[in-house]
Amino acid sequence: QVQLVETGGGSVQAGGSLRLSCAVSGIGFSSFNMGWFRQAPGNQRELVATITTSSNTNYADSVKGRFTISRDNAKNTVYLQMNNLKVEDTAVYYCQAARTWTNYWGKGTLVTVSS
């Protein structure tokens, strides 16, 4: 059974930091590209950051320089370090595992940033 479980969400004031984790089981983690997406109320889900199997990273312009995605293949876990959080970062954050023809999603973790 494939499971992606996100943790680390919560409430923080603007300027603060959070670290999200996504623990993956049931798939060959190291062979999947991993990503973080987010969805704010009333908005579509949007890409935040991705990391390939070779640890090449890509970021949405809105989070460049503030967020860092990383992976630990030994722990089957992908992380999202979020610094200098802004009110507009408030959303449910989802983890995705993807490779050709296949992708899996977690259930999400809520991040709330207050001013």
Side-chain angles (χ1 to χ4, degrees):
Q1 182 181 0
V2 180
Q3 283 192 312
L4 284 72
V5 180
E6 302 97 334
T7 57
S11 297
V12 64
Q13 287 193 321
S17 298
L18 284 174
R19 189 195 195 201
L20 305 184
S21 299
C22 174
V24 180
S25 60
I27 59 173
F29 178 78
S30 62
S31 67
F32 279 76
N33 298 317
M34 300 299 300
W36 286 98
F37 291 73
R38 67 187 181 187
Q39 187 168 15
N43 289 1
Q44 290 187 331
R45 191 172 297 189
E46 63 176 5
L47 181 143
V48 175
T50 60
I51 185 166
T52 69
T53 55
S54 302
S55 293
N56 294 315
T57 59
N58 182 57
Y59 297 92
D61 287 343
S62 60
V63 307
K64 280 181 182 176
R66 301 188 298 122
F67 291 11
T68 303
I69 188 172
S70 60
R71 65 189 297 160
D72 186 336
N73 289 341
K75 295 183 178 179
N76 289 357
T77 301
V78 62
Y79 305 97
L80 185 68
Q81 177 66 43
M82 306 186 294
N83 297 329
N84 190 22
L85 282 159
K86 302 178 180 180
V87 172
E88 52 264 41
D89 294 320
T90 295
V92 177
Y93 284 71
Y94 298 90
C95 173
Q96 183 203 48
R99 67 181 186 187
T100 307
W101 310 119
T102 304
N103 65 80
Y104 302 101
W105 292 90
K107 294 183 178 180
T109 186
L110 177 62
V111 172
T112 303
V113 184
S114 59
S115 59

